[in-house]
Amino acid sequence: MTALSLSHSYAYCQQLAKQTAGNFYYSFLALRKEQFRAMCVLYAYMRNVDDLGDDPQRSFEERLASLREWRSELQQALANGKQFSDEFYHPCFPALLDIVQRYEIPEHYFFDVITGVESDLQPVSYQTFDELAEYCYRVAGVVGLCCIHIWGFHDDRAFDAGIECGLAFQMTNILRDLTEDVDQGRVYLPLDDLEQFNYSRSDIQAQIYDERFKDLMQFEVQRTREFYQNSERLIDYISPAGQGILRAMYRIYGGILNEIERMDFDVYSSRAGLPRWRKLLIAGEAIVSSRWFSVRSAR
């Protein structure tokens, strides 16, 4: 493999984000140029790790080996610092190292994500919500923590709020994707919760939609909504540059949670989501809000 320049690495990450991040890519445009590029790098890293662990065409052993190789290559890249050479195995690493140093992002966040994805390789179940929350921290909370380093923050309370924000977003994904996940042997809802409402893993597999299920989902949606409410204080702790994109993400993910409730929790029949036009509108409003603030600040 030939040496990869920093500019080419950034270009790769931006292109991947543009192709696969959907409307979030346009939300990134609300940020300053350097932050926009950094968010594309962060997305590219997370997307690659997720794809390594979620490739249905590969066996458990193959996916585990790929994630272990990725972990090893990340360790080597971080140890080498900015000595870019043909030792780099993936095009996102030079840009990743650049944003880690530029924004002082703790390196262990990127290893935590790998650990979280590794835990998804085999059938998943969690006994308690605390166990589920630990998983959500690894695959979503650390993403929020990376984001606040890129956006900038002025209060250490942003860390706890960022973790809760990631928990709210990931719980929304879990409730929306219940059917897809169980098909892959994954039931994220805590067994304690299932037992509380006399609902079982086999009931999820059979897609039994009844009062027990609606009560269970109502309980989970209400708990998730509390995480949204508790984490909204994060907006006050981050720089104005990040507030627009965070508000947009709250509206998109919160909108999905509202849609689940509007569907009377019947996530078995259809996938909850916002129409593309609405997500584009939210992203556009975030960009306009950011540009307005920039003009005001320049005066």
Side-chain angles (χ1 to χ4, degrees):
M1 180 178 291
T2 59
L4 181 69
S5 72
L6 184 58
S7 61
H8 287 151
S9 181
Y10 270 109
Y12 160 81
C13 294
Q14 183 173 335
Q15 185 62 27
L16 180 63
K18 186 175 183 179
Q19 290 176 343
T20 61
N23 301 304
F24 283 121
Y25 173 81
Y26 298 101
S27 298
F28 297 166
L29 294 171
L31 299 167
R32 296 195 305 269
K33 180 179 179 181
E34 296 79 7
Q35 293 172 319
F36 163 76
R37 295 172 67 208
M39 286 297 294
C40 289
V41 174
L42 179 61
Y43 173 84
Y45 176 85
M46 302 299 175
R47 178 60 188 253
N48 275 286
V49 174
D50 190 59
D51 285 349
L52 288 175
D54 213 25
D55 185 350
Q57 304 301 318
R58 309 182 73 198
S59 68
F60 160 76
E61 291 78 12
E62 289 173 326
R63 286 179 284 165
L64 181 60
S66 293
L67 286 167
R68 287 176 173 171
E69 182 179 2
W70 184 274
R71 183 189 295 271
S72 176
E73 291 169 4
L74 176 61
Q75 290 172 332
Q76 182 178 352
L78 291 168
N80 288 341
K82 287 192 174 183
Q83 300 301 314
F84 301 144
S85 70
D86 56 8
E87 292 301 315
F88 278 95
Y89 299 97
H90 194 277
C92 81
F93 281 150
L96 181 72
L97 264 63
D98 191 54
I99 70 167
V100 165
Q101 296 175 8
R102 183 185 300 269
Y103 296 101
E104 299 181 345
I105 305 174
E107 296 175 358
H108 70 84
Y109 291 163
F110 300 96
F111 293 101
D112 287 341
V113 170
I114 301 173
T115 301
V117 173
E118 285 175 338
S119 69
D120 271 338
L121 295 183
Q122 293 183 305
V124 171
S125 65
Y126 297 100
Q127 185 66 43
T128 68
F129 183 77
D130 285 345
E131 292 175 0
L132 174 60
E134 180 64 23
Y135 163 77
C136 291
Y137 165 78
R138 291 193 178 110
V139 298
V142 294
V143 179
L145 296 177
C146 289
C147 287
I148 64 175
H149 278 83
I150 293 171
W151 299 340
F153 62 95
H154 53 79
D155 192 313
D156 285 346
R157 288 177 291 182
F159 292 110
D160 287 339
I163 292 172
E164 283 192 294
C165 179
L167 181 55
F169 292 169
Q170 188 63 24
M171 280 300 299
T172 300
N173 288 338
I174 288 171
L175 297 175
R176 179 195 61 192
D177 299 336
L178 208 60
T179 301
E180 298 171 23
D181 288 333
V182 76
D183 288 343
Q184 300 181 56
R186 303 168 184 168
V187 175
Y188 293 102
L189 297 184
L191 297 179
D192 285 352
D193 294 356
L194 297 180
E195 293 169 5
Q196 178 181 343
F197 292 95
N198 194 30
Y199 202 78
S200 67
R201 184 188 183 104
S202 61
D203 289 332
I204 296 176
Q205 291 172 322
Q207 299 186 17
I208 296 177
Y209 177 70
D210 57 15
E211 291 303 317
R212 296 174 302 154
F213 179 72
K214 288 192 283 187
D215 290 343
L216 168 65
M217 289 292 286
Q218 185 175 39
F219 172 79
E220 301 294 353
V221 165
Q222 181 56 40
R223 175 161 57 188
T224 302
R225 186 162 281 123
E226 290 174 3
F227 286 120
Y228 277 100
Q229 293 169 350
N230 292 338
S231 65
E232 282 181 353
R233 68 190 190 279
L234 178 59
I235 294 174
D236 297 327
Y237 304 149
I238 62 176
S239 67
Q243 290 176 358
I245 186 173
L246 181 58
R247 286 192 176 97
M249 295 173 71
Y250 271 120
R251 290 177 63 188
I252 291 173
Y253 278 93
I256 294 172
L257 193 68
N258 291 337
E259 181 65 12
I260 291 173
E261 194 167 42
R262 188 197 66 77
M263 295 163 49
D264 203 17
F265 313 111
D266 189 7
V267 294
Y268 293 141
S269 296
S270 59
R271 193 172 192 265
L274 303 184
R276 178 175 172 78
W277 67 264
R278 186 174 172 190
K279 290 187 285 187
L280 286 172
L281 178 63
I282 292 172
E285 289 174 352
I287 295 172
V288 171
S289 174
S290 175
R291 297 293 183 265
W292 179 85
F293 177 81
S294 297
V295 171
R296 293 267 302 189
S297 300
R299 291 178 179 174

